[in-house]
mmCIF file of all heavy atoms in Angstrom:
data_model
loop_
_atom_site.group_PDB
_atom_site.id
_atom_site.type_symbol
_atom_site.label_atom_id
_atom_site.label_comp_id
_atom_site.label_asym_id
_atom_site.label_seq_id
_atom_site.Cartn_x
_atom_site.Cartn_y
_atom_site.Cartn_z
ATOM 1 N N LEU A 58 -4.507 15.877 1.011
ATOM 2 C CA LEU A 58 -5.041 16.564 -0.140
ATOM 3 C C LEU A 58 -4.833 18.029 0.083
ATOM 4 O O LEU A 58 -4.910 18.531 1.228
ATOM 5 C CB LEU A 58 -6.613 16.337 -0.205
ATOM 6 C CG LEU A 58 -7.046 14.872 -0.440
ATOM 7 C CD1 LEU A 58 -8.587 14.689 -0.393
ATOM 8 C CD2 LEU A 58 -6.568 14.444 -1.889
ATOM 9 N N THR A 59 -4.577 18.827 -1.038
ATOM 10 C CA THR A 59 -4.320 20.276 -0.886
ATOM 11 C C THR A 59 -5.023 21.115 -1.922
ATOM 12 O O THR A 59 -5.226 20.610 -3.082
ATOM 13 C CB THR A 59 -2.848 20.573 -0.881
ATOM 14 O OG1 THR A 59 -2.401 20.889 -2.237
ATOM 15 C CG2 THR A 59 -1.949 19.554 -0.201
ATOM 16 N N ALA A 60 -5.394 22.302 -1.601
ATOM 17 C CA ALA A 60 -6.035 23.237 -2.577
ATOM 18 C C ALA A 60 -5.574 24.625 -2.203
ATOM 19 O O ALA A 60 -5.168 24.897 -1.064
ATOM 20 C CB ALA A 60 -7.521 23.072 -2.598
ATOM 21 N N ASN A 61 -5.918 25.569 -3.175
ATOM 22 C CA ASN A 61 -5.561 26.951 -2.820
ATOM 23 C C ASN A 61 -6.635 27.596 -1.951
ATOM 24 O O ASN A 61 -6.461 27.859 -0.806
ATOM 25 C CB ASN A 61 -5.464 27.728 -4.189
ATOM 26 C CG ASN A 61 -4.921 29.084 -4.075
ATOM 27 O OD1 ASN A 61 -4.283 29.402 -2.962
ATOM 28 N ND2 ASN A 61 -5.243 29.982 -4.948
ATOM 29 N N SER A 62 -7.886 27.742 -2.507
ATOM 30 C CA SER A 62 -8.979 28.409 -1.782
ATOM 31 C C SER A 62 -10.288 27.771 -1.957
ATOM 32 O O SER A 62 -11.294 28.349 -1.469
ATOM 33 C CB SER A 62 -8.987 29.853 -2.093
ATOM 34 O OG SER A 62 -9.133 30.029 -3.538
ATOM 35 N N ASN A 63 -10.343 26.741 -2.674
ATOM 36 C CA ASN A 63 -11.606 26.037 -3.033
ATOM 37 C C ASN A 63 -12.092 25.183 -1.882
ATOM 38 O O ASN A 63 -11.853 23.973 -1.840
ATOM 39 C CB ASN A 63 -11.543 25.337 -4.379
ATOM 40 C CG ASN A 63 -12.855 24.831 -4.897
ATOM 41 O OD1 ASN A 63 -13.738 24.639 -4.150
ATOM 42 N ND2 ASN A 63 -12.891 24.556 -6.216
ATOM 43 N N VAL A 64 -12.754 25.781 -0.855
ATOM 44 C CA VAL A 64 -13.146 25.008 0.335
ATOM 45 C C VAL A 64 -14.187 23.890 0.033
ATOM 46 O O VAL A 64 -14.035 22.793 0.506
ATOM 47 C CB VAL A 64 -13.694 25.981 1.318
ATOM 48 C CG1 VAL A 64 -14.188 25.225 2.601
ATOM 49 C CG2 VAL A 64 -12.691 26.998 1.808
ATOM 50 N N ASP A 65 -15.146 24.271 -0.837
ATOM 51 C CA ASP A 65 -16.263 23.256 -1.129
ATOM 52 C C ASP A 65 -15.643 21.974 -1.769
ATOM 53 O O ASP A 65 -16.010 20.912 -1.271
ATOM 54 C CB ASP A 65 -17.157 23.851 -2.177
ATOM 55 C CG ASP A 65 -18.081 24.919 -1.475
ATOM 56 O OD1 ASP A 65 -18.117 24.958 -0.271
ATOM 57 O OD2 ASP A 65 -18.735 25.713 -2.267
ATOM 58 N N ASP A 66 -14.765 22.089 -2.658
ATOM 59 C CA ASP A 66 -14.216 20.928 -3.321
ATOM 60 C C ASP A 66 -13.323 20.116 -2.416
ATOM 61 O O ASP A 66 -13.349 18.871 -2.422
ATOM 62 C CB ASP A 66 -13.479 21.295 -4.673
ATOM 63 C CG ASP A 66 -14.458 21.616 -5.816
ATOM 64 O OD1 ASP A 66 -15.711 21.725 -5.526
ATOM 65 O OD2 ASP A 66 -13.917 21.847 -6.889
ATOM 66 N N LEU A 67 -12.527 20.834 -1.642
ATOM 67 C CA LEU A 67 -11.610 20.108 -0.752
ATOM 68 C C LEU A 67 -12.462 19.401 0.450
ATOM 69 O O LEU A 67 -12.045 18.317 0.792
ATOM 70 C CB LEU A 67 -10.511 21.002 -0.194
ATOM 71 C CG LEU A 67 -9.240 20.082 0.272
ATOM 72 C CD1 LEU A 67 -8.673 19.405 -0.851
ATOM 73 C CD2 LEU A 67 -8.294 20.891 0.970
ATOM 74 N N TYR A 68 -13.496 20.044 0.813
ATOM 75 C CA TYR A 68 -14.352 19.461 1.858
ATOM 76 C C TYR A 68 -14.906 18.102 1.222
ATOM 77 O O TYR A 68 -14.880 17.058 1.873
ATOM 78 C CB TYR A 68 -15.453 20.452 2.175
ATOM 79 C CG TYR A 68 -16.501 19.853 3.060
ATOM 80 C CD1 TYR A 68 -16.296 19.691 4.445
ATOM 81 C CD2 TYR A 68 -17.760 19.523 2.565
ATOM 82 C CE1 TYR A 68 -17.340 19.234 5.277
ATOM 83 C CE2 TYR A 68 -18.806 18.927 3.394
ATOM 84 C CZ TYR A 68 -18.530 18.861 4.761
ATOM 85 O OH TYR A 68 -19.470 18.309 5.603
ATOM 86 N N GLN A 69 -15.537 18.215 -0.004
ATOM 87 C CA GLN A 69 -16.075 16.963 -0.601
ATOM 88 C C GLN A 69 -15.100 15.886 -0.786
ATOM 89 O O GLN A 69 -15.308 14.695 -0.467
ATOM 90 C CB GLN A 69 -16.744 17.310 -1.955
ATOM 91 C CG GLN A 69 -18.037 18.192 -1.918
ATOM 92 C CD GLN A 69 -19.083 17.520 -1.008
ATOM 93 O OE1 GLN A 69 -19.142 16.243 -0.872
ATOM 94 N NE2 GLN A 69 -19.960 18.325 -0.508
#
Side-chain angles (χ1 to χ4, degrees):
L58 296 173
T59 88
N61 189 23
S62 56
N63 188 337
V64 176
D65 286 346
D66 285 7
L67 202 61
Y68 175 76
Q69 289 303 335

